[in-house]
DNA sequence: ATGTGACTAATAGTCCGTT
DNA sequence: AAACGGACTATTAGTCACA
């Protein structure tokens, strides 16, 4: 799972949890609607300033969007 | 403090904590030395794939580089 | 060992659509 | 509502010579 795909899935997860359409999120984050679509599908490689707008719009952390989902410490041991 | 500046300071903080030169980090993250320099000074607006390489090289989380530093819950109250 | 300006190739990001 | 495409402009990726 690459970083773009992971980011896309998390954006979608958080967006739908709020009951927002892609257009609604686009409006709140001041990002074009078609770009949100591309982000969620993992076909875009956004800059940190764009992700910052998403973090603020979604009211989440960078970790929520980009770090692997929360695990117990024991699960982290096998990472490279 | 914008996202680029914050990112730059955290990269520098984690790099120096390991006793690495910019060249050493550049080698480990497979990023050009002068680009690391620009990142630390906050003059670059990198994409998530570039930050991913730094996260792996530094052995840190996205949160370490981009979320505001860990604070007590009480400190979070005055945020926008 | 690092800061900086300049440069080209690549791509981020927008805007117009159709399905 | 959302996936997807084409075309377009602005900006980044990546590198270099030099201070």
């Amino acid at each position: 799972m690459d970083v773009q795909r992971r980011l896309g899935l998390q954006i979608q997860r958080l967006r739908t949890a709020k009951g927002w359409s892609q257009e609604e999120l686009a409006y709140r984050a001041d990002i074009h609607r078609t770009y949100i679509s591309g982000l969620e599908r993992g076909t875009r490689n956004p800059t940190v300033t764009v992700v910052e707008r998403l973090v603020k719009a979604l009211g989440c952390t960078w970790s929520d969007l980009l770090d692997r989902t929360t695990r117990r410490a024991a699960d982290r041991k096998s990472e490279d």
Side-chain angles (χ1 to χ4, degrees), chain A residues 11-12 15 20-31 36 40 53-54 57-58:
Chain A
I11 291 170
Q12 189 169 51
R15 173 179 67 77
W20 294 347
S21 65
Q22 290 181 348
E23 270 185 327
E24 173 92 26
L25 174 58
Y27 173 76
R28 289 173 181 263
D30 195 25
I31 293 172
I36 298 285
E40 290 193 357
R53 299 214 287 276
L54 291 165
L58 291 166

Side-chain angles (χ1 to χ4, degrees), chain A residues 1 25 39 41 45:
Chain A
M1 175 95 85
L25 174 58
L39 284 172
R41 283 177 288 120
N45 181 24

Side-chain angles (χ1 to χ4, degrees), chain A residues 39-73:
Chain A
L39 284 172
E40 290 193 357
R41 283 177 288 120
T43 64
R44 292 289 186 160
N45 181 24
T47 57
V48 293
T49 57
V50 165
V51 179
E52 170 96 346
R53 299 214 287 276
L54 291 165
V55 163
K56 287 184 176 172
L58 291 166
C60 68
T61 65
W62 283 80
S63 196
D64 290 334
L65 292 182
L66 288 155
D67 284 315
R68 296 194 215 305
T69 57
T70 306
R71 301 143 301 170
R72 287 166 301 117

Side-chain angles (χ1 to χ4, degrees), chain A residues 9 12-13 17 79:
Chain A
L9 290 172
Q12 189 169 51
R13 183 178 65 80
E79 284 176 22

